[in-house]
Amino acid sequence: MNPPEPLQTPEHRSPALAHRAGLGRGELRYQRCAHCAAAVFPPRTLCPDCGEQKLSWERSTGDGTVYATTVVRGRDGAHNVVLVDLDDGFRMMSRVAGPAPQDVAIGDRVRFRPTADGDTAVFEPKEDAR
């Protein structure tokens, strides 16, 4: 008789849940393709570049550059929405906390900041460069 397969946690079954679990630990995580070495984000089950299924998890340095930014205005005020090019080789959508929304500029250097709820990836201005 074969031994039963070990139960897998939801984190092992779902790339999105694995990413969220990393955020809960204060880590910005992404995947790296074992075949072509592409940085993969958002998390998925196949490499978008070559189709490989073997993707490993890596912890991002959290440093990046604002690629694009816009100000969104609503009833509760204004906030920014940014695309950040991470130094690790992937781009993600987020926001920059701290400065006024209109003060966030393309080319600003930013750093990942864990949030209190551990549920979102937010950036803050990197003090040592623009």
Side-chain angles (χ1 to χ4, degrees):
M1 206 167 146
N2 292 335
E5 290 186 28
L7 293 175
Q8 289 188 343
T9 64
E11 180 177 331
H12 289 93
R13 290 187 303 243
S14 166
L17 291 177
H19 170 68
R20 286 205 133 152
L23 289 176
R25 292 189 297 273
E27 301 173 353
L28 179 57
R29 299 171 71 195
Y30 66 101
Q31 296 166 296
R32 175 95 42 207
C33 177
H35 178 73
C36 71
V40 177
F41 191 88
R44 55 190 79 194
T45 57
L46 298 172
C47 175
D49 289 353
C50 71
E52 174 65 51
Q53 292 181 347
K54 293 179 184 174
L55 302 174
S56 61
W57 285 99
E58 294 190 14
R59 184 177 179 179
S60 172
T61 63
D63 294 336
T65 304
V66 174
Y67 173 81
T69 182
T70 191
V71 177
V72 178
R73 290 178 173 76
R75 292 181 187 188
D76 59 343
H79 65 276
N80 62 60
V81 176
V82 297
L83 290 176
V84 176
D85 283 340
L86 278 293
D87 294 351
D88 305 292
F90 65 96
R91 179 178 291 160
M92 69 179 293
M93 184 181 293
S94 186
R95 66 183 177 88
V96 177
Q102 64 275 10
D103 292 339
V104 177
I106 293 170
D108 284 354
R109 292 289 293 164
V110 292
R111 173 176 289 135
F112 167 70
R113 180 189 81 185
T115 58
D117 65 7
D119 201 33
T120 54
V122 174
F123 291 84
E124 62 189 4
K126 198 169 174 188
E127 295 181 19
D128 55 357
R130 176 171 188 190

